[in-house]
Amino acid sequence: MNARPKKSFGQHFLHEKRYIERIVSAIAPEDGDTLVEIGPGEGALTLPLLRAAGRLTAIELDTDLIPALGERAAAVGELRIVHADVLKVDFAALARELGAPRLRIAGNLPYYISSPILFHCVEHAAAIQDMHFMLQKEVVDRMAAEPGSKVYGRLSVMLQLACRVTPLFDVPPGAFRPPPKVDSSVVRLVPLAPAERHDADPQAVHAVVKAAFAQRRKTLSNALRQLLGAEAIRAAGIDPGARAETLSPLDFVRLAKALPTRPASD
Ligand code: SAM
């Protein structure tokens, strides 16, 4: 153990016991849970999670870490290590393979790809029961931000339309080896139940949110000019003179539904 952490893999290994314990108790793993860990590294979270749940699937990109982790886990529980880039893992297929209706996902994420991982998980939300992630504090603040906040943006809207976002606690740089340059936070994400999810075309929502926040200082009628006219924005019940940062996540769904439907391709 104690391999030299690799910057290119975003490796910052957790070593402070009290934060490890707080994360594990926030997850509250139970025997029989289908736990999946993203980026187990040297096993700081893996081993206590495995001890509690009896089995765990871990997805790790760095081959150098895998043999030692497997050895350490052997006496603790049933650890399956998948050598893969998590962005290429199909969580719905993984849940089927593990015979679970839904997965409980956790991880101290590699920060260099934290937003792509979040969007990837949101795409598979139907196969996920909950997620507990360590991320840069700044990212967690954006995920949980409310309309009107300076940090409310695309990440806040897209995540809040798919999940309940609950920031749990902050973790200082000194809890990791090597310490990252930023503060970190642990966040819980619980995918919305089917009845709570919006029914707009996801691509339309994506397009509206992207355009609206690409030019956040502009009014909606300016920022959405390529997509929707001022009249259509008003007809959706939204002031075309408002700025994106004042709209609720569901306001964006209303705008997405107002987009002209594309002709079905043959
Ligand atoms: N869980 C360990 C801990 O808390 O000490 C390690 C956390 S470290 C911040 C991130 C981990 O994610 C590293 O083990 C790294 O090798 C792994 N990783 C980086 N990119 C990855 C990817 N695309 N897919 C899967 N794992 C990745």
Side-chain angles (χ1 to χ4, degrees), residues 10 108-115 134-136 176 180 182 184-185:
N108 168 14
L109 297 186
Y111 293 172
Y112 73 104
I113 44 165
S114 53
S115 291
M134 173 94 76
L135 291 157
Q136 302 98 306
F176 304 83
V182 294
S184 300
S185 283

Side-chain angles (χ1 to χ4, degrees), residues 1-3 13-15 17 20 37 40-51 54 64-81 177:
M1 281 284 131
N2 291 339
F13 299 124
L14 248 184
H15 67 79
K17 209 171 159 209
I20 295 170
E37 186 186 1
E42 298 185 329
L45 297 172
T46 322
L47 299 178
L49 289 174
L50 193 56
R51 211 165 280 127
D64 291 349
L65 296 173
I66 293 176
L69 182 61
E71 274 168 35
R72 284 188 80 190
V76 181
E78 205 181 303
L79 176 66
R80 177 174 168 226
I81 307 175
R177 182 181 65 84

